[in-house]
Amino acid sequence: MKYVFAVCAALGLMMMPGNVSAHTNPEDLAARCVGAVNGIVDRCQNAAADEAEECVRKIRRLLADGQEQAARRVAAECIQSATERTEKCATKVKRICDECIDQLLSLGAPQLARRVNNACEDAISDLRSTLQREKNMIRNALGG
């Protein structure tokens, strides 16, 4: 997770409006932005898979021990954690996207800005889908 923050901080510095110059290639900027967004989504999805797997294991172990209430508490905590993680990831994506789109528009590249915006919307949709699958896995571990 520290790596995600370091990447975001580095991208934030790289993408500050003051760093945009007349020599900035809009295509390269758009590619860097989409690459950064995809990297965040990949890391968040990997974290979701790991966390969901661990939660399901804990829930099944508790249910096997006859501790249904404890299993329900773990499930609720896992869903809360997954939701918070997804919100943080989506916020990071949105922050990078907003900055990139602003820069692309300032460089006179509205078509690229639109493409980056579409990629960002797809990324956030992917994060939400991942969250929903994670919640379903956790609920299914409880038996429905």
Side-chain angles (χ1 to χ4, degrees):
M1 197 52 126
K2 290 179 185 174
Y3 179 74
V4 172
F5 294 124
V7 169
C8 289
L11 285 169
L13 291 175
M14 174 184 78
M15 297 187 184
M16 293 302 290
N19 291 339
V20 175
S21 70
H23 303 295
T24 300
N25 181 330
E27 290 84 8
D28 290 344
L29 176 61
R32 284 194 316 266
C33 292
V34 171
V37 165
N38 288 340
I40 290 169
V41 171
D42 287 346
R43 285 185 295 280
C44 289
Q45 288 176 326
N46 288 338
D50 292 345
E51 185 177 23
E53 185 178 317
E54 180 62 27
C55 287
V56 167
R57 257 196 306 263
K58 285 180 184 178
I59 291 165
R60 287 182 177 154
R61 188 172 39 245
L62 289 166
L63 289 174
D65 290 343
Q67 299 181 42
E68 186 176 333
Q69 285 303 97
R72 290 191 181 286
R73 276 193 306 276
V74 167
E77 291 167 3
C78 288
I79 288 172
Q80 180 65 32
S81 174
T83 302
E84 289 172 3
R85 184 194 56 253
T86 300
E87 289 171 0
K88 287 178 185 175
C89 292
T91 298
K92 290 175 193 172
V93 166
K94 184 157 177 34
R95 194 174 320 132
I96 289 173
C97 291
D98 289 348
E99 185 67 32
C100 289
I101 290 166
D102 288 347
Q103 287 188 22
L104 288 166
L105 291 173
S106 75
L107 292 170
Q111 291 90 357
L112 284 173
R114 195 171 16 262
R115 287 186 198 143
V116 167
N117 186 60
N118 289 340
C120 293
E121 288 176 0
D122 290 346
I124 290 173
S125 178
D126 289 348
L127 289 170
R128 288 186 179 129
S129 295
T130 298
L131 174 61
Q132 190 57 53
R133 283 191 302 274
E134 190 174 4
K135 287 178 177 181
N136 290 342
M137 284 177 60
I138 293 165
R139 288 180 185 127
N140 288 340
L142 284 172

